[in-house]
Amino acid sequence: MAELVYRPVIGLARTLFKVWDLKIDCQGSENIPRSGGAVLVSNHISYLDFIFDGLAALPQKRLVRFMAKESVFRHRISGPLMRGMKHIPVDRKQGEAAYAHALDSLRSGEIVGVFPEATISESFTLKSFKSGAARLAQEAGVPLVPMALWGTQRLWTKGHPRNFKRSHTPITIRVGEAMEAPREQYAGAITRRLRERVQELLEAAQRAYPVRPKGADDTWWMPAHLGGTAPTPEQLRAAQAH
């Protein structure tokens, strides 16, 4: 069936990337299967991450169906687009329906994109992973494909204004080798291995990133352990506790 919405949206995104003069460095796309189901698993640091995750699958001629919070589907602009691209709405109070929808998509040979941290990481470090991605891969009998993004937080993230100026912002994307999710293994153990893989890819993306903060007022997008001024996970937890 023709992708009447998805492909024009991809064209629009590519045009915007040129307008914004983004410097995209994507490596590892060949690890995404050319056919059959797979769960694409990424870190989450920006509102735009799903666009760049999807971009990594295009060299393999694959379109990714992302699991996204249900409120995005209710928005008057994004809603029709999300439904037209066959993304999967997630109502956190009734997660079973989204899980079943994703499972059907995987079994029909689709790639499903998952952010196992569930929300954007404001520290720009990896949060704990929920086990849903591993359980989906196990039940559908498909591989997990880990990946990591870096630089997307500089465009638009939680608590900071959008930056869609022609700013030559580098975006680094790293896709790792697919990993199996055997049914007989504990989903928690698979999830731990998966998080370790994503962490390795994130560190590789950070090492490859070609720019550093321009000055003291430009350190917000760097995590504290790399010398930046983003809040630490401990600071965020303390703030939420109050």
Side-chain angles (χ1 to χ4, degrees), residues 137 141-144 178-182 185 190 193 197:
V142 301
L144 291 153
M179 55 181 283
E180 297 304 315
Q185 288 187 12
I190 296 171
R193 286 203 306 278
R197 294 267 188 102

Side-chain angles (χ1 to χ4, degrees), residues 23 25 150-154 169-172 174 204-212 221-222:
K23 307 299 184 186
D25 168 19
W150 192 245
T152 59
Q153 75 273 33
R154 299 178 67 198
T169 303
I171 305 294
T172 305
R174 293 292 182 265
Q206 289 167 337
R207 285 194 299 272
Y209 201 67
V211 301
R212 292 291 178 264
W221 56 272
M222 288 284 278

